[in-house]
Amino acid sequence: MSPKPLYRQVADALRAEIADGTRPPGSKLPSERALCERFDAARNTVRMGLNVLITEGLVIPSHGRGYEVRSAEVFVLNASRSENLTLPQEGDSYTTDVKRVGREPHQEFRVELVPLPPEAASRLRVESEQDGVLRFCLRYLDGVPWSTQATYYPMWLAEGTRIAQAGDIAEGTTRYLADRGIEQVGYYDELLTRMPTPEEARDLQIGPGVPVLVWTRTGYGSDRPIRCTVTTFRGDLNRITFEVGDLSARGGQP
Protein backbone atom coordinates (compact mmCIF):
# COMPACT_ATOMS: atom_id res chain seq x y z
CA MET A 1 0.00 0.00 0.00
CA SER A 2 1.32 3.45 -0.92
CA PRO A 3 2.22 5.68 2.06
CA LYS A 4 0.87 8.70 0.17
CA PRO A 5 -2.62 9.99 0.94
CA LEU A 6 -5.15 8.77 -1.58
CA TYR A 7 -5.80 12.23 -3.05
CA ARG A 8 -2.07 12.46 -3.83
CA GLN A 9 -2.21 9.10 -5.56
CA VAL A 10 -5.08 10.41 -7.71
CA ALA A 11 -3.07 13.52 -8.62
CA ASP A 12 0.12 11.53 -9.32
CA ALA A 13 -1.67 9.05 -11.62
CA LEU A 14 -3.40 11.75 -13.66
CA ARG A 15 -0.25 13.88 -13.80
CA ALA A 16 1.70 10.94 -15.23
CA GLU A 17 -0.96 10.38 -17.89
CA ILE A 18 -0.78 14.06 -18.86
CA ALA A 19 3.03 13.94 -19.01
CA ASP A 20 3.19 10.82 -21.21
CA GLY A 21 0.55 12.09 -23.64
CA THR A 22 -2.19 9.68 -22.66
CA ARG A 23 -4.27 12.76 -21.86
CA PRO A 24 -3.19 15.46 -24.37
CA PRO A 25 -3.83 19.21 -24.02
CA GLY A 26 -7.51 20.06 -24.39
CA SER A 27 -8.74 16.55 -23.58
CA LYS A 28 -11.43 15.99 -20.98
CA LEU A 29 -10.69 14.06 -17.81
CA PRO A 30 -13.01 11.27 -16.68
CA SER A 31 -15.96 12.38 -14.59
CA GLU A 32 -15.64 12.59 -10.82
CA ARG A 33 -17.84 9.52 -10.56
CA ALA A 34 -15.58 7.55 -12.90
CA LEU A 35 -12.50 8.63 -10.96
CA CYS A 36 -14.16 7.63 -7.69
CA GLU A 37 -14.71 4.15 -9.09
CA ARG A 38 -11.20 3.92 -10.56
CA PHE A 39 -9.44 4.86 -7.32
CA ASP A 40 -12.06 3.47 -4.94
CA ALA A 41 -12.20 6.92 -3.38
CA ALA A 42 -14.79 9.32 -2.01
CA ARG A 43 -15.76 12.29 -4.17
CA ASN A 44 -14.08 14.79 -1.82
CA THR A 45 -10.84 12.79 -2.11
CA VAL A 46 -11.00 12.90 -5.92
CA ARG A 47 -11.70 16.64 -5.83
CA MET A 48 -8.70 17.20 -3.59
CA GLY A 49 -6.53 15.35 -6.12
CA LEU A 50 -7.95 17.40 -8.98
CA ASN A 51 -7.34 20.61 -7.05
CA VAL A 52 -3.65 19.67 -6.76
CA LEU A 53 -3.47 19.55 -10.57
CA ILE A 54 -5.42 22.82 -10.88
CA THR A 55 -2.94 24.50 -8.52
CA GLU A 56 -0.06 23.15 -10.64
CA GLY A 57 -1.64 24.66 -13.75
CA LEU A 58 -2.12 21.28 -15.47
CA VAL A 59 -5.91 21.04 -15.30
CA ILE A 60 -8.72 23.59 -15.51
CA PRO A 61 -12.39 23.30 -14.53
CA SER A 62 -14.55 23.23 -17.64
CA HIS A 63 -17.56 25.29 -16.53
CA GLY A 64 -20.00 22.59 -15.51
CA ARG A 65 -18.53 20.03 -17.91
CA GLY A 66 -15.98 18.48 -15.60
CA TYR A 67 -12.25 19.06 -16.00
CA GLU A 68 -9.86 19.23 -18.93
CA VAL A 69 -6.12 19.29 -19.51
CA ARG A 70 -4.91 22.84 -19.98
CA SER A 71 -4.36 23.67 -23.64
CA ALA A 72 -2.16 26.57 -24.67
CA GLU A 73 -0.15 27.52 -27.75
CA VAL A 74 3.03 29.02 -26.35
CA PHE A 75 4.35 32.21 -27.94
CA VAL A 76 8.12 32.49 -28.29
CA LEU A 77 9.49 36.02 -28.01
CA ASN A 78 13.07 36.70 -29.10
CA ALA A 79 13.98 39.42 -26.61
CA SER A 80 17.27 40.15 -28.38
CA ARG A 81 15.48 41.13 -31.58
CA SER A 82 12.57 42.94 -29.96
CA GLU A 83 12.95 46.72 -30.46
CA ASN A 84 15.94 46.30 -32.78
CA LEU A 85 15.38 49.29 -35.06
CA THR A 86 17.79 47.95 -37.70
CA LEU A 87 15.34 45.12 -38.49
CA PRO A 88 12.23 45.56 -40.66
CA GLN A 89 9.17 46.43 -38.60
CA GLU A 90 5.44 46.33 -39.27
CA GLY A 91 4.25 48.92 -36.80
CA ASP A 92 5.64 48.71 -33.26
CA SER A 93 7.84 45.88 -32.01
CA TYR A 94 4.94 43.98 -30.41
CA THR A 95 2.89 43.99 -33.61
CA THR A 96 5.96 42.97 -35.61
CA ASP A 97 6.86 40.11 -33.27
CA VAL A 98 3.32 38.71 -33.28
CA LYS A 99 2.62 39.04 -37.01
CA ARG A 100 6.00 37.51 -37.85
CA VAL A 101 4.73 34.14 -36.58
CA GLY A 102 1.30 34.44 -38.21
CA ARG A 103 -0.71 35.38 -35.14
CA GLU A 104 -3.11 38.27 -34.58
CA PRO A 105 -2.16 41.14 -32.21
CA HIS A 106 -4.48 43.50 -30.35
CA GLN A 107 -3.75 46.10 -27.67
CA GLU A 108 -5.78 48.18 -25.22
CA PHE A 109 -4.03 51.42 -24.17
CA ARG A 110 -4.16 53.97 -21.45
CA VAL A 111 -1.81 56.90 -20.80
CA GLU A 112 -1.55 58.62 -17.42
CA LEU A 113 0.46 61.23 -15.55
CA VAL A 114 1.47 59.39 -12.35
CA PRO A 115 3.88 59.64 -9.42
CA LEU A 116 6.68 57.29 -10.41
CA PRO A 117 6.77 54.14 -8.25
CA PRO A 118 10.04 53.70 -6.31
CA GLU A 119 11.48 50.92 -8.51
CA ALA A 120 10.84 52.84 -11.74
CA ALA A 121 12.12 56.11 -10.24
CA SER A 122 15.32 54.40 -9.12
CA ARG A 123 15.96 52.99 -12.58
CA LEU A 124 15.23 56.36 -14.18
CA ARG A 125 17.46 58.16 -11.67
CA VAL A 126 14.77 60.55 -10.51
CA GLU A 127 13.22 61.12 -7.10
CA SER A 128 10.58 58.63 -5.98
CA GLU A 129 7.02 59.93 -6.36
CA GLN A 130 8.17 62.54 -8.89
CA ASP A 131 5.64 62.82 -11.69
CA GLY A 132 6.21 60.84 -14.86
CA VAL A 133 4.22 59.37 -17.73
CA LEU A 134 2.84 55.84 -17.67
CA ARG A 135 1.93 54.22 -20.96
CA PHE A 136 0.08 50.99 -20.12
CA CYS A 137 -1.31 48.39 -22.47
CA LEU A 138 -3.05 45.05 -22.16
CA ARG A 139 -1.89 42.87 -25.05
CA TYR A 140 -3.67 39.97 -26.73
CA LEU A 141 -2.67 37.19 -29.11
CA ASP A 142 -5.53 35.75 -31.16
CA GLY A 143 -7.98 37.29 -28.70
CA VAL A 144 -6.34 35.73 -25.62
CA PRO A 145 -4.66 37.97 -22.98
CA TRP A 146 -0.89 37.61 -23.43
CA SER A 147 0.80 40.26 -21.32
CA THR A 148 0.56 43.67 -19.73
CA GLN A 149 3.18 46.31 -20.37
CA ALA A 150 3.78 49.38 -18.22
CA THR A 151 6.36 51.86 -19.50
CA TYR A 152 7.42 54.80 -17.34
CA TYR A 153 8.98 57.93 -18.83
CA PRO A 154 10.54 60.89 -16.97
CA MET A 155 8.84 64.25 -17.45
CA TRP A 156 11.89 65.82 -19.10
CA LEU A 157 11.48 63.34 -21.96
CA ALA A 158 7.69 63.48 -22.23
CA GLU A 159 7.43 67.25 -22.52
CA GLY A 160 7.12 68.39 -26.12
CA THR A 161 6.51 64.87 -27.48
CA ARG A 162 3.50 62.60 -28.04
CA ILE A 163 4.60 60.32 -25.18
CA ALA A 164 2.09 61.90 -22.80
CA GLN A 165 -0.75 61.89 -25.35
CA ALA A 166 -3.44 59.21 -25.28
CA GLY A 167 -3.48 56.48 -27.89
CA ASP A 168 -1.03 54.29 -29.71
CA ILE A 169 2.12 55.46 -31.46
CA ALA A 170 1.99 53.32 -34.56
CA GLU A 171 5.74 52.99 -35.16
CA GLY A 172 6.45 52.32 -31.48
CA THR A 173 7.78 54.77 -28.92
CA THR A 174 11.42 53.66 -29.26
CA ARG A 175 11.48 54.46 -32.99
CA TYR A 176 9.37 57.59 -32.48
CA LEU A 177 11.84 58.99 -29.94
CA ALA A 178 14.87 57.98 -32.03
CA ASP A 179 13.46 59.93 -34.96
CA ARG A 180 13.39 62.98 -32.65
CA GLY A 181 16.96 62.65 -31.47
CA ILE A 182 16.32 60.69 -28.27
CA GLU A 183 17.97 57.44 -29.24
CA GLN A 184 18.08 54.35 -27.07
CA VAL A 185 21.68 53.18 -27.32
CA GLY A 186 21.43 50.28 -24.86
CA TYR A 187 19.21 48.52 -22.38
CA TYR A 188 19.45 46.47 -19.20
CA ASP A 189 17.09 43.53 -18.69
CA GLU A 190 15.89 41.85 -15.49
CA LEU A 191 13.70 38.71 -15.33
CA LEU A 192 11.85 37.24 -12.38
CA THR A 193 8.95 34.89 -11.76
CA ARG A 194 6.28 35.12 -9.08
CA MET A 195 2.61 34.43 -8.55
CA PRO A 196 0.24 37.04 -10.03
CA THR A 197 -1.47 39.74 -8.06
CA PRO A 198 -5.30 39.60 -8.06
CA GLU A 199 -5.34 42.43 -10.62
CA GLU A 200 -2.89 40.61 -12.91
CA ALA A 201 -4.84 37.37 -12.61
CA ARG A 202 -8.00 39.21 -13.63
CA ASP A 203 -6.48 41.14 -16.56
CA LEU A 204 -4.61 38.13 -17.95
CA GLN A 205 -7.33 35.58 -17.11
CA ILE A 206 -4.81 33.45 -15.21
CA GLY A 207 -6.06 30.29 -13.55
CA PRO A 208 -4.92 28.91 -10.18
CA GLY A 209 -1.32 27.75 -9.96
CA VAL A 210 -0.01 29.71 -12.98
CA PRO A 211 2.89 32.13 -12.31
CA VAL A 212 3.83 35.25 -14.23
CA LEU A 213 7.17 36.16 -15.79
CA VAL A 214 8.10 39.80 -15.17
CA TRP A 215 10.56 41.34 -17.62
CA THR A 216 11.92 44.78 -16.72
CA ARG A 217 13.86 46.60 -19.43
CA THR A 218 15.54 49.91 -18.65
CA GLY A 219 16.46 51.81 -21.81
CA TYR A 220 19.38 54.21 -21.89
CA GLY A 221 20.30 57.19 -24.00
CA SER A 222 23.90 58.28 -24.37
CA ASP A 223 24.01 59.94 -20.95
CA ARG A 224 20.97 58.86 -18.88
CA PRO A 225 18.01 56.46 -18.67
CA ILE A 226 15.06 57.30 -20.89
CA ARG A 227 12.43 54.71 -19.95
CA CYS A 228 11.60 51.76 -17.72
CA THR A 229 9.33 49.07 -19.18
CA VAL A 230 7.77 46.33 -17.07
CA THR A 231 6.18 43.54 -19.11
CA THR A 232 4.20 40.89 -17.23
CA PHE A 233 3.64 37.64 -19.15
CA ARG A 234 1.35 34.73 -18.46
CA GLY A 235 3.72 31.97 -17.41
CA ASP A 236 1.80 29.27 -19.27
CA LEU A 237 1.66 31.01 -22.67
CA ASN A 238 5.11 32.50 -23.16
CA ARG A 239 8.75 31.60 -23.64
CA ILE A 240 11.53 34.20 -23.86
CA THR A 241 14.74 33.64 -25.83
CA PHE A 242 17.95 35.67 -26.16
CA GLU A 243 20.71 35.58 -28.78
CA VAL A 244 24.33 36.31 -27.87
CA GLY A 245 27.39 35.99 -30.11
CA ASP A 246 27.91 33.95 -33.29
CA LEU A 247 25.08 31.42 -33.62
CA SER A 248 25.87 30.09 -37.10
CA ALA A 249 26.40 26.61 -35.61
CA ARG A 250 22.72 26.46 -34.64
CA GLY A 251 21.69 26.38 -38.28
CA GLY A 252 17.93 26.53 -38.64
CA GLN A 253 17.21 25.23 -35.14
CA PRO A 254 14.15 27.00 -33.69
Side-chain angles (χ1 to χ4, degrees), residues 111-153:
V111 181
E112 302 176 80
L113 183 65
V114 298
L116 291 171
E119 290 190 356
S122 174
R123 290 172 173 83
L124 293 172
R125 299 181 193 161
V126 300
E127 292 184 9
S128 184
E129 300 298 311
Q130 180 174 315
D131 282 347
V133 173
L134 167 63
R135 294 183 64 86
F136 180 90
C137 57
L138 174 59
R139 291 175 162 174
Y140 296 80
L141 266 73
D142 304 328
V144 177
W146 173 51
S147 67
T148 63
Q149 186 173 88
T151 301
Y152 298 93
Y153 295 92

Side-chain angles (χ1 to χ4, degrees), residues 5 8 20 48 71 118 120 138 157-158 160 179 194-195 242 251:
R8 286 285 182 185
D20 68 16
M48 288 174 64
S71 178
L138 174 59
L157 181 147
D179 290 343
R194 57 170 170 77
M195 298 309 294
F242 290 86

